[in-house]
């Protein structure tokens, strides 16, 4: 989940989850203890868990998902999908045409994170590599993309076996580089909507570190935020720490900028339009008695609407320049503000379609398993598929991964749960995979049902 979807933990309190699970829940007839789809998934679970453990133990970083893509493409070919590899880099597109009807895109993301795993699992990742910046690191599926891919493969299998139950076209895509916010864009730029059938509908899921394993969460409207990474290079005049009067201290100026940035949200933003401006890194200097020439601030910016996003970025530029002028910095040494090429747009579930999909899930699963969850400030580039064509009915939902006993202990204040992107995050994978593959299959059959 793009740039610390760990924010999901802070955004959803246990009390709010409890409220969402019980408030205004419609009364529905209880479904069978296990559906036919659920029974088939149960039979396949040993093989699914073997695939999950393999994917978990062998993660690959963004835009390096070569082996992951190849092994999953092989499975899709065996199911008789028309498979195209290397779309947008390492992306995979698998198409199954089954008569006239809607075109449904189902997406899973493939990339791991530069995290050293500390779960203690027998199949924990021991992969080591270097980041594009040259930093040696471990690699881990700390965001649960291994569960996403495994459920995706099972959904593809279930749909291929049920061609008599649906009409239309399936476009199953394995997307690279979600964690750096580029994968969906790269696939779109490589002709996803022109080389392949253009979707009328799109669905995906994400595992959740704040929901009990097997529960399903959905959010009408904005579900996840715009994410921007912004660098500010604060330029000053360096010198000896004993003679500060001969310098223009970029550390002091940087500190002023950090303080003033807090007013963008607290004093300039409409309180009911959430936004976040976080300075995640302040880099400057190398020795106690040397005032450096430069300092560097690294920011993450979160918003929902494009208008708020633009307002925040312009506000950052204004504050950085204004504080520099106040500090006496000459024009040729003004701060340099740059927005990195890692923009992840907000993810929007068209409300009417979201409620329709939630209704399908509530009719299929036990009534307390499908809950309305609040929007979060994490990011997910699944939103790009909708933004590229807003006629598409798009829906992303959550599937909880926290074991019930751990959820109860945390709710009682007796334990702290790891978040997504944590080196300790180990979802209850069998429940995530089973629930997600069943949910996606049920939704796909409804979208592609014969009229």
């Amino acid at each position: 989940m793009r740039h610390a979807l760990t924010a999901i933990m802070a955004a959803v309190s246990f009390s709010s989850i409890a409220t969402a699970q019980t408030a205004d829940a419609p009364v529905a007839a209880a479904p069978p203890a296990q559906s036919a789809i659920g029974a088939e998934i149960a039979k396949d679970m040993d093989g699914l868990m073997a695939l999950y453990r393999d994917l978990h133990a062998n993660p690959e970083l963004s835009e390096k998902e070569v082996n992951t893509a190849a092994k999953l493409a092989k499975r899709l070919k065996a199911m008789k999908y028309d498979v195209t590899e290397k779309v947008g880099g390492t992306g995979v597109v698998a198409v199954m045409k089954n008569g006239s009807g809607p075109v449904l895109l189902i997406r899973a993301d493939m990339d791991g994170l530069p995290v050293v795993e500390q779960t203690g699992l027998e199949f924990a990742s021991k992969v080591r590599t270097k980041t594009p910046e040259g930093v040696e690191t471990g690699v881990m599926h700390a965001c649960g993309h291994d569960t996403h891919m495994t459920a995706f493969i099972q959904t593809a299998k279930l749909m291929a076996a049920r061609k008599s139950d649906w009409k239309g076209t399936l476009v199953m895509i394995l997307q690279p580089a979600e964690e750096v916010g580029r994968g969906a864009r790269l696939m779109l730029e490589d002709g996803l909507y022109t080389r392949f059938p253009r979707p009328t509908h799109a669905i995906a899921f994400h595992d959740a570190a704040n929901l009990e394993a097997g529960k399903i969460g959905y959010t009408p409207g904005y579900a996840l935020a715009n994410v921007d990474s912004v660098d500010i290079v604060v330029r000053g005049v360096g010198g000896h720490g004993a003679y500060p009067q001969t310098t223009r201290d970029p550390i002091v100026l940087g500190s002023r900028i950090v303080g003033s940035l807090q007013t963008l949200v607290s004093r300039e933003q409409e309180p009911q339009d959430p936004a976040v401006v976080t300075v995640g890194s302040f880099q400057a200097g190398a020795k106690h008695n040397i005032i450096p020439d430069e300092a560097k601030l690294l920011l993450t910016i979160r918003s929902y609407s494009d208008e708020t996003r633009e307002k925040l970025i312009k506000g950052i530029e204004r504050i950085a320049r204004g504080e520099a002028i106040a500090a006496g910095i000459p024009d040729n040494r003004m701060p340099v503000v740059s927005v990195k090429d890692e923009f992840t747009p907000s993810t929007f579930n068209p409300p009417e379609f979201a409620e329709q999909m939630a209704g399908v899930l509530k009719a299929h699963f036990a009534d307390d398993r499908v809950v309305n969850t609040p929007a979060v400030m994490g990011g997910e580039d699944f939103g790009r598929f909708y933004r590229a064509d807003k006629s598409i009915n798009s829906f992303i939902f959550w599937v909880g991964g926290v074991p019930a006993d751990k959820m109860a202990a945390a709710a009682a204040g007796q334990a702290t749960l790891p978040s997504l992107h944590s080196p300790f995050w180990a979802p209850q994978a069998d429940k995530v995979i089973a629930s997600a593959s069943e949910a996606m299959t049920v939704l796909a059959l409804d979208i592609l049902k014969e009229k």
Side-chain angles (χ1 to χ4, degrees), residues 104-107 201-205 353 382 395 440 443-444 447:
L104 173 60
L105 181 152
I106 300 179
R107 172 273 209 170
H201 300 74
I203 61 173
F205 88 96
F353 185 62
F382 177 72
F395 182 61
M440 288 200 295
L443 294 178
I447 292 167

Side-chain angles (χ1 to χ4, degrees), residues 132-172:
E133 296 75 25
V135 178
E136 185 174 340
T137 180
V139 185
M140 177 189 174
H141 273 302
C143 203
H145 293 185
D146 43 4
T147 63
H148 301 180
M149 291 182 281
T150 306
F152 172 96
I153 289 295
Q154 181 65 5
T155 302
K157 178 183 176 183
L158 292 167
M159 292 300 292
R162 284 168 167 72
K163 291 182 71 173
S164 61
D165 296 335
W166 58 273
K167 292 293 182 184
T169 300
L170 269 178
V171 181
M172 307 283 293

Side-chain angles (χ1 to χ4, degrees), residues 32-253:
Q34 187 178 51
S35 69
I37 294 172
E40 188 169 343
I41 294 168
K43 290 179 183 178
D44 291 342
M45 189 51 66
D46 287 347
L48 290 171
M49 289 304 292
L51 172 60
Y52 165 73
R53 287 189 289 268
D54 175 53
L55 292 169
H56 186 89
N58 298 284
E60 297 174 294
L61 290 180
S62 304
E63 299 182 67
K64 303 294 183 183
E65 310 93 340
V66 177
N67 294 327
T68 302
K71 70 178 67 173
L72 296 180
K74 183 177 180 181
R75 287 175 177 257
L76 292 164
K77 290 174 184 176
M79 298 175 199
K80 307 304 182 184
Y81 283 83
D82 182 7
V83 177
T84 304
E85 299 178 67
K86 299 181 181 179
V87 179
T90 58
V92 177
V93 179
V95 177
M96 181 171 285
K97 296 182 178 180
N98 190 29
S100 61
V103 178
L104 173 60
L105 181 152
I106 300 179
R107 172 273 209 170
D109 35 12
M110 298 187 289
D111 48 336
L113 285 159
V115 173
V116 178
E117 182 164 353
Q118 299 179 56
T119 61
L121 294 170
E122 291 182 6
F123 51 91
S125 169
K126 296 179 175 62
V127 175
R128 302 284 303 182
T129 191
K130 285 188 176 181
T131 68
E133 296 75 25
V135 178
E136 185 174 340
T137 180
V139 185
M140 177 189 174
H141 273 302
C143 203
H145 293 185
D146 43 4
T147 63
H148 301 180
M149 291 182 281
T150 306
F152 172 96
I153 289 295
Q154 181 65 5
T155 302
K157 178 183 176 183
L158 292 167
M159 292 300 292
R162 284 168 167 72
K163 291 182 71 173
S164 61
D165 296 335
W166 58 273
K167 292 293 182 184
T169 300
L170 269 178
V171 181
M172 307 283 293
I173 69 171
L174 290 161
Q175 181 206 303
E178 185 276 330
E179 295 292 357
V180 294
R182 286 194 293 272
R185 188 191 74 196
L186 290 172
M187 293 191 79
L188 287 164
E189 289 175 349
D190 199 15
L192 181 63
Y193 286 1
T194 54
R195 294 168 56 191
F196 307 98
R198 194 180 190 92
T200 57
H201 300 74
I203 61 173
F205 88 96
H206 203 294
D207 68 312
N210 66 329
L211 285 175
E212 182 180 323
K215 285 191 178 291
I216 295 169
Y218 72 98
T219 309
Y222 286 113
L224 297 112
N226 292 314
V227 179
D228 281 287
S229 296
V230 177
D231 294 355
I232 305 176
V233 178
V234 182
R235 301 189 293 177
V237 178
H240 199 297
Y243 314 110
Q245 73 278 11
T246 66
T247 72
R248 288 290 184 269
D249 191 336
I251 295 177
V252 173
L253 173 54

Side-chain angles (χ1 to χ4, degrees), residues 233-295:
V233 178
V234 182
R235 301 189 293 177
V237 178
H240 199 297
Y243 314 110
Q245 73 278 11
T246 66
T247 72
R248 288 290 184 269
D249 191 336
I251 295 177
V252 173
L253 173 54
S255 299
R256 289 176 178 171
I257 291 172
V258 171
S260 294
L261 288 174
Q262 309 313 305
T263 64
L264 283 175
V265 174
S266 68
R267 289 297 176 269
E268 298 187 25
Q269 185 63 15
E270 161 61 47
Q272 296 187 60
D273 180 11
V276 173
V277 177
T278 294
V279 180
S281 178
F282 191 138
Q283 305 166 9
K287 200 173 186 301
H288 301 74
N289 62 347
I290 299 174
I291 294 173
D293 287 321
E294 290 187 350

